[in-house]
Amino acid sequence: MFKGIIAALWDMDSVGEIEPDVVFLLKSDILSLKFYLKILKDRGKTVFVDMDFVSGLGEGEEAVLFVKKAGADGIITIKPKNYIIAKRNGVPAVLRFFALDSKAVERGIEQIEALGVDVVEVLPGVVAPKVAKKIPGRTVIAAGLVETEEEAREILKHVSAISTSSRTLWKMRFLP
């Protein structure tokens, strides 16, 4: 499911330009979420919602199930609690982590292994190849600071996908 380019969507202004089949809806609110999901699903998109940026939504089981019932195909979260709840309820989940320095990477890898995470999104994306080498057998998605097609092509040699808000990179239709 996570191969090549994923459209990271901060708002619905560019919905008509989305070429990738998978969309990460990064910002929404509890009043608009179902509507946004319907628009994207009607366009044939697989949509994962960053539940940490759904304004008005808390965390925990009810929050995870709310996002799923609204029509999302899965969730993205930085919170281990939400990840565990999603997996327990059969909701596909992506655990996001920030590789700020070597200590953060160590802690992140420990957490990934302890939770049995199968899909992880690494920010910034330019360091994702280094992290991917340390967690073999998992789907790694690079996100953030991938700016050119050349960078994207190189990164995709090491990770499964790149999540990007770059409309230029959305047009890329290749796998390495």
Side-chain angles (χ1 to χ4, degrees):
M1 170 189 321
F2 301 116
K3 289 283 184 197
I5 300 296
I6 297 169
L9 199 58
W10 284 101
D11 57 52
M12 296 298 282
D13 293 344
S14 56
V15 74
E17 299 175 52
I18 300 171
E19 293 190 30
D21 295 330
V22 179
V23 175
F24 282 3
L25 182 57
L26 300 179
K27 187 176 179 196
S28 59
D29 61 74
I30 60 171
L31 299 176
S32 305
L33 181 61
K34 192 171 185 176
F35 176 68
Y36 291 168
L37 286 166
K38 181 172 177 6
I39 290 169
L40 292 165
K41 300 298 282 180
D42 285 351
R43 294 176 177 268
K45 305 302 180 187
T46 298
V47 186
F48 276 63
V49 172
D50 185 336
M51 65 177 290
D52 303 330
F53 289 109
V54 177
S55 180
L57 183 69
E59 63 180 83
E61 190 153 7
E62 292 84 5
V64 170
L65 294 177
F66 176 85
V67 172
K68 179 65 176 163
K69 287 178 183 173
D73 294 293
I75 67 155
I76 305 161
T77 185
I78 195 169
K79 299 174 181 170
K81 175 182 176 181
N82 287 337
Y83 181 86
I84 292 166
I85 290 168
K87 297 306 275 184
R88 186 175 61 225
N89 284 282
V91 178
V94 175
L95 185 66
R96 172 180 286 162
F97 98 88
F98 294 89
L100 301 175
D101 58 23
S102 57
K103 196 64 173 169
V105 171
E106 283 177 31
R107 283 192 309 270
I109 290 170
E110 287 171 7
Q111 186 175 64
I112 288 164
E113 290 173 349
L115 297 175
V117 174
D118 49 351
V119 182
V120 61
E121 184 180 42
V122 178
L123 291 96
V126 293
V127 301
K130 285 186 173 188
V131 174
K133 290 177 188 175
K134 298 176 186 235
I135 51 172
R138 291 178 169 82
T139 299
V140 176
I141 301 167
L145 300 179
V146 180
E147 297 171 345
T148 67
E149 281 194 34
E150 294 76 28
E151 283 178 323
R153 288 181 195 281
E154 185 58 33
I155 290 169
L156 283 170
K157 291 177 184 176
H158 307 281
V159 302
S160 298
I162 296 171
S163 167
T164 180
S165 59
S166 167
R167 295 175 190 178
T168 301
L169 295 182
W170 289 355
K171 296 175 180 11
M172 292 177 63
R173 290 273 183 196
F174 72 91
L175 293 176

